[in-house]
Amino acid sequence: MFCHLRPVRRLCLEKIFSPWFVYSRALSAAEAVNALRPFYFAVHPDFFGQHPKEREVNENSLKTLSVYLENLQKPSFKSLKPTQLRFYVRGTDQNSSDGHELFSTSGFRAVKFTLHTRDLLSTALYILNSCSLSIEHIQSSNTNVHSQPLKEAKRMSDRPIKWDNSYYSFTGFRDPDEDLEQVSRMETTLTSWLDNNGKSAVKKLKHSLPLRKELDRLKDELSHQLQLSDIRWQRSWGIAHRCSQLHSLGRLAQQNLETLKKAKGCTVLFTDHSGVSTVGHVVLGTMDVHHYWVKLFERLPSYFDLQRKLMLLEDQISYLLGGIQVVYIDELQPVLTLEEYYSLLDVFYNRILENRMPFHSQSLCGLQMILNSDRYAPSLHELGHFNIPVLCDLANLQWFILTKAQQARENMKRKEELKVIENELIQVSTRKFSLEKLYKEPSISSIQMADCCKRLLEQSLPYLHGMHLCVSHFYSVMQDRDLCIPWNWKNGEAIK
């Protein structure tokens, strides 16, 4: 069927795979964005709508900061010139630590600082400290972070020192191994955590209900006005932050309605960087100024053309590989732009077009595969899809797919069965505890979710009445007042 089609333009491997090396560094960039979230929340231009002067200063400074952070991630990076920045910072619950910030007539703190850092971690620390914002969320996830912003985190030894017990007896220092044992013995249980946090979470949830209704109203109005399929968020921002983002998009719609209507039928996704996702979602970076958003909407027709070419490329690969379906799974693959994913498919398609593998037509129909750039050998995922590296040996690939096809079908069948069980347990648990909502983070598997729900159903948990419960890997009360519990929560003896 496709044998007479001309191959799509070949791209040299050096050109194709340079973005993947950048991506390996971009992981730390994503962590830096998360670390700087309190800063962005305090200075984002959307919160300065009534103060055009402060808004303009913050917009320009954020542009400069964005360029600075991007340069830090470039492979050719050696050193950057000192960069002076000025921001107006909204009030926070924290008091100023140095007393040197100047307050504008509008009541915002004016903060100046000069960046001359060498990595993303020290940059994030320096910015947060300069704005008198907390760095506890960084310290809790990275024990190597130094409390002084001007000193970069030092690399710890790979082989920790183990002192004899006599050292601790003589010096009076505490043995960290003993402390760890004590923490394990006093580990948090589900009931104890709910006792400490349940009542306050219920009160906070009730207080947040009007804002939740406002969020739903704004979302429905914008979806109808722009004829969108849906509006989503990739990160767990608080309700107030989400409302602010929708207000921002609403103001943009008033000024550029016809341009924004080019997204008709699409899903708008708020996240860290603007673009179009591999599945065609219009992605709006919450740190980008409106000018970038408008440019993105203007370019949507060209993105839709590229998406059609991408879908054709997937069909061509499927035809050459016996009908196996090419899929993209957000939770299991790196975040890629439409252009990056198209390049990945293009490289793989040209390789298999030159090295035809004798698969019988439609013999692999019903099976799925995802493409990877960071693997060297194919593998079969427990969920039933094949992980196929772009540069894998094609002769071995054919043998691997054929020998694992039956197991892949069994895994996919098991996945569907687990999904049904998971959904049933979620419904039963929601009804028993009168939950308003029960959901899980994407990283939680169906097996883990099912196990969590089965054990919950054995408990009596009155604090959960009317709550939003999220199954995750840790305990927390989220900004939206949702309760977050680990899937392997402990009640009594710890689960190994």
Side-chain angles (χ1 to χ4, degrees):
M1 178 178 176
F2 294 103
C3 56
H4 299 296
L5 292 173
R6 295 181 62 186
V8 182
R9 178 178 57 87
R10 180 184 301 280
L11 302 175
C12 67
L13 295 183
E14 293 82 7
K15 184 176 180 181
I16 288 297
F17 282 92
S18 58
W20 309 112
F21 293 108
V22 173
Y23 175 75
S24 67
R25 297 171 65 96
L27 287 174
S28 57
E31 294 170 357
V33 168
N34 192 45
L36 286 171
R37 192 180 300 176
F39 164 73
Y40 289 123
F41 188 75
V43 304
H44 199 282
D46 286 349
F47 294 107
F48 293 78
Q50 303 300 319
H51 309 282
K53 174 190 171 185
E54 288 85 351
R55 181 187 181 93
E56 184 179 4
V57 169
N58 283 11
E59 281 184 348
N60 293 332
S61 294
L62 281 173
K63 290 180 185 177
T64 304
L65 175 60
S66 178
V67 172
Y68 186 93
L69 294 175
E70 287 178 6
N71 287 334
L72 279 179
Q73 302 167 60
K74 291 180 178 178
S76 58
F77 159 74
K78 291 183 180 179
S79 63
L80 296 177
K81 294 181 180 179
T83 301
Q84 188 176 67
L85 296 173
R86 175 186 176 91
F87 287 98
Y88 285 97
V89 183
R90 297 190 307 128
T92 65
D93 294 336
Q94 297 168 268
N95 295 321
S96 171
S97 59
D98 54 19
H100 292 299
E101 294 93 339
L102 300 176
F103 283 80
S104 71
T105 55
S106 305
F108 302 110
R109 288 188 291 126
V111 178
K112 287 183 179 179
F113 53 87
T114 301
L115 290 178
H116 193 197
T117 47
R118 293 186 294 175
D119 59 61
L120 291 171
L121 178 59
S122 58
T123 302
L125 287 170
Y126 185 82
I127 292 172
L128 291 171
N129 277 275
S130 297
C131 296
S132 302
L133 297 171
S134 173
I135 62 171
E136 291 181 1
H137 60 293
I138 304 180
Q139 290 173 320
S140 63
S141 61
N142 188 336
T143 56
N144 295 340
V145 173
H146 198 284
S147 60
Q148 296 298 322
L150 296 177
K151 295 182 179 180
E152 299 178 41
K154 297 181 180 179
R155 185 171 296 176
M156 299 293 286
S157 169
D158 293 333
R159 186 177 63 187
I161 297 174
K162 173 63 178 175
W163 296 100
D164 187 82
N165 289 335
S166 60
Y167 167 79
Y168 301 106
S169 300
F170 181 77
T171 61
F173 293 141
R174 297 180 64 88
D175 184 342
D177 289 338
E178 286 185 3
D179 285 347
L180 186 60
E181 258 184 61
Q182 186 176 1
V183 169
S184 298
R185 288 194 297 268
M186 300 172 61
E187 195 160 15
T188 303
T189 64
L190 179 62
T191 50
S192 67
W193 186 80
L194 288 176
D195 284 342
N196 293 329
N197 297 276
K199 289 183 179 179
S200 62
V202 169
K203 290 180 181 178
K204 291 176 181 178
L205 178 64
K206 289 181 179 178
H207 291 156
S208 72
L209 291 180
L211 199 55
R212 289 176 184 269
K213 291 181 180 178
E214 174 68 4
L215 178 66
D216 292 338
R217 184 189 67 80
L218 289 170
K219 182 178 175 181
D220 291 342
E221 284 184 1
L222 270 174
S223 296
H224 177 73
Q225 183 183 19
L226 302 179
Q227 296 179 283
L228 300 173
S229 174
D230 196 8
I231 299 177
R232 302 177 190 170
W233 288 263
Q234 194 174 42
R235 294 187 177 276
S236 54
W237 284 295
I239 301 175
H241 199 176
R242 295 187 182 198
C243 285
S244 175
Q245 291 162 356
L246 292 182
H247 278 301
S248 184
L249 184 60
R251 288 194 298 269
L252 195 63
Q254 291 176 356
Q255 302 164 2
N256 304 271
L257 182 58
E258 292 306 314
T259 301
L260 267 63
K261 278 188 174 181
K262 292 182 178 181
K264 177 182 177 180
C266 295
T267 292
V268 167
L269 180 66
F270 287 99
T271 182
D272 297 325
H273 303 287
S274 298
V276 175
S277 73
T278 54
V279 293
H281 295 339
V282 179
V283 181
L284 301 181
T286 57
M287 296 175 292
D288 292 335
V289 293
H290 288 174
H291 173 74
Y292 293 143
W293 287 8
V294 173
K295 290 295 182 184
L296 172 62
F297 281 100
E298 289 175 347
R299 295 197 302 268
L300 282 181
S302 63
Y303 279 113
F304 295 153
D305 288 340
L306 182 60
Q307 188 179 20
R308 284 190 286 269
K309 293 178 182 178
L310 185 149
M311 294 171 67
L312 175 61
L313 209 51
E314 289 178 333
D315 289 342
Q316 292 171 334
I317 292 172
S318 175
Y319 175 78
L320 294 173
L321 295 182
I324 190 170
Q325 182 186 9
V326 182
V327 296
Y328 180 88
I329 304 176
D330 286 328
E331 296 86 357
L332 301 176
Q333 292 180 262
V335 178
L336 305 177
T337 64
L338 197 63
E339 300 94 332
E340 289 171 338
Y341 190 51
Y342 180 86
S343 296
L344 193 68
L345 289 169
D346 186 48
V347 171
F348 186 69
Y349 170 69
N350 283 300
R351 291 190 71 225
I352 61 175
L353 188 64
E354 285 186 353
N355 301 272
R356 290 297 186 96
M357 291 174 280
F359 286 109
H360 291 295
S361 178
Q362 302 301 308
S363 61
L364 300 177
C365 189
L367 297 181
Q368 296 178 338
M369 59 168 279
I370 64 174
L371 278 176
N372 285 299
S373 62
D374 56 350
R375 295 174 181 267
Y376 295 97
S379 62
L380 177 62
H381 195 275
E382 61 180 4
L383 297 180
H385 62 266
F386 289 95
N387 289 307
I388 308 298
V390 175
L391 297 180
C392 67
D393 181 87
L394 295 181
N396 289 337
L397 174 62
Q398 179 188 359
W399 174 86
F400 183 81
I401 292 178
L402 291 175
T403 56
K404 297 289 185 179
Q406 184 56 36
Q407 185 181 343
R409 295 186 189 280
E410 293 173 359
N411 286 5
M412 291 186 69
K413 182 180 178 181
R414 176 61 177 160
K415 177 186 72 173
E416 296 303 319
E417 292 172 349
L418 284 171
K419 194 65 181 175
V420 171
I421 294 173
E422 176 191 12
N423 290 335
E424 289 177 352
L425 286 169
I426 288 175
Q427 292 176 14
V428 173
S429 301
T430 302
R431 288 196 298 268
K432 174 177 178 177
F433 301 111
S434 301
L435 290 165
E436 185 70 24
K437 183 179 180 182
L438 175 58
Y439 63 104
K440 66 176 184 177
E441 287 191 342
S443 59
I444 300 298
S445 68
S446 294
I447 294 177
Q448 292 170 333
M449 186 65 175
D451 177 71
C452 176
C453 290
K454 285 178 182 176
R455 296 172 53 242
L456 281 175
L457 290 169
E458 298 173 358
Q459 306 295 315
S460 176
L461 304 168
Y463 284 139
L464 295 182
H465 181 81
M467 293 301 298
H468 293 232
L469 184 64
C470 174
V471 176
S472 176
H473 295 280
F474 49 84
Y475 288 105
S476 71
V477 180
M478 301 172 70
Q479 293 182 54
D480 292 349
R481 315 313 175 201
D482 293 12
L483 292 177
C484 214
I485 65 171
W487 70 271
N488 57 344
W489 54 268
K490 299 168 178 60
N491 205 36
E493 293 187 9
I495 297 177
K496 302 298 182 184

